[in-house]
Amino acid sequence: MVYLKAFIVGGIICTLVQIFLDNTRLMPGRVMVLLVIAGVILGAVGIYEPLLQWAGCGASVPLSGFGYNLVKGVMEAVNDEGFIGIFKGGLKAAAAGTSSALVFSYLAALVFQPKMKK
């Protein structure tokens, strides 16, 4: 049942984003930024946490989950460290995911040879 909920919620998020991409003139990079911002806003107002608890990875894997992770880290750091937590919290919360993305993308670049289109 856990996998089904994750698949349904992740699929709904991806479907909504695809509909948004197909019906607007926004470039994919801007839509990705909007997803992160949506995760930040939904996390700040307390909506994303119950969705994450219910759907698991279906809500945490998309970019909106990254935005939620950032805002959660900032809120925890502000509670623990005060004003400086605004700057440290998001970096600390997202460091593992960002670092692994950099390492694995570098390894992929070493293994595979890109081909330029002529």
Side-chain angles (χ1 to χ4, degrees), residues 14-101:
C14 291
T15 301
L16 292 174
V17 169
Q18 188 63 50
I19 291 169
F20 191 74
L21 281 169
D22 290 343
N23 294 315
T24 65
R25 290 183 158 182
L26 290 175
M27 299 300 289
R30 292 184 179 178
V31 174
M32 290 190 299
V33 170
L34 288 174
L35 274 172
V36 173
I37 292 171
V40 168
I41 292 170
L42 292 174
V45 297
I47 295 173
Y48 210 81
E49 178 69 28
L51 177 65
L52 187 65
Q53 294 297 322
W54 186 77
C57 287
S60 67
V61 171
L63 283 173
S64 54
F66 178 70
Y68 166 75
N69 191 26
L70 289 174
V71 78
K72 182 179 173 189
V74 168
M75 290 190 315
E76 289 175 0
V78 167
N79 288 337
D80 293 342
E81 302 175 29
F83 181 76
I84 195 71
I86 294 171
F87 305 104
K88 292 171 61 177
L91 295 173
K92 188 175 179 184
T98 305
S99 298
S100 62

Side-chain angles (χ1 to χ4, degrees), residues 92-108:
K92 188 175 179 184
T98 305
S99 298
S100 62
L102 288 172
V103 168
F104 288 120
S105 62
Y106 179 72
L107 290 175

